[in-house]
Amino acid sequence: MSAERKVSEASEGAVAAEASEASEAAEDVTVRDPVSAPGADGVPRRATRRFPLFTRDTARPEGGGRAAPGDAPAPARQWPILAVLLTVGLGLLLTALDVFRVGLLLIGAALLAGAVLRWVVPNVGMLAVRSRFTDMVTYGGLGLAVVLLALMMQPHPLLEFPWLQDMLHVTVDS
């Protein structure tokens, strides 16, 4: 027998041995879940909708797809986040130019608009960070806080709470 033939027979034997070991390993696998399907390697895997004990990757939040078709240019695909960021940028520019109240109102309005976009538009692209509910509460809560603080800003506040001034006097006087 030639050396090449011996090597090929040995490699075929090794492949057959590995296949028999894999089939024995597949027979030894205990499946706890009622529904399982074989994976690529033939070993049963979980096919249930229950969450695994340990996560191995991060799922995209719902609505995290493109906001425009894939053949559109990149800025058009992410128009919701760009609209919010450009409005916040304009508000920061106005704040830097000493127009504090208008700039902060614009920033708060941009965050509130982000909450509304997250609620209304099904695919908002990168504006979707977490679940829809969490994004709406976060954007809306922060936007409302910024707007209220901008309206109560001194001097000449547009929104006054008398009880807030009483609380401040109590804490400062004590």
Side-chain angles (χ1 to χ4, degrees):
M1 245 192 232
S2 70
E4 291 176 7
R5 184 173 172 126
K6 287 181 184 179
V7 169
S8 69
E9 286 178 1
S11 64
E12 288 175 7
V15 169
E18 286 178 13
S20 66
E21 288 175 12
S23 66
E24 289 174 7
E27 293 172 4
D28 295 337
V29 172
T30 304
V31 179
R32 295 182 297 161
D33 299 324
V35 179
S36 61
D41 55 352
V43 177
R45 62 175 175 80
R46 287 184 70 167
T48 65
R49 292 181 52 124
R50 293 183 183 183
F51 291 110
L53 184 60
F54 300 105
T55 57
R56 290 182 173 76
D57 61 352
T58 304
R60 271 188 0 197
E62 69 268 10
R66 294 182 177 127
D71 57 350
R77 289 192 306 257
Q78 298 297 333
W79 68 266
I81 189 81
L82 286 176
V84 171
L85 287 177
L86 289 174
T87 309
V88 167
L90 181 62
L92 288 173
L93 180 66
L94 289 174
T95 303
L97 296 174
D98 287 337
V99 190
F100 292 116
R101 191 179 313 255
V102 175
L104 290 175
L105 285 173
L106 201 55
I107 291 171
L111 290 172
L112 289 171
V116 170
L117 281 173
R118 188 67 175 101
W119 182 33
V120 174
V121 180
N123 288 325
V124 290
M126 290 178 9
L127 189 63
V129 178
R130 296 157 295 268
S131 70
R132 185 176 305 246
F133 175 78
T134 306
D135 281 342
M136 286 179 0
V137 168
T138 304
Y139 293 143
L142 289 174
L144 186 64
V146 170
V147 166
L148 287 176
L149 289 172
L151 292 175
M152 293 188 309
M153 189 169 61
Q154 296 289 335
H156 313 294
L158 300 175
L159 184 62
E160 293 186 30
F161 294 114
W163 53 269
L164 185 60
Q165 190 172 4
D166 294 339
M167 282 179 39
L168 288 175
H169 284 296
V170 169
T171 57
V172 173
D173 291 340
S174 300

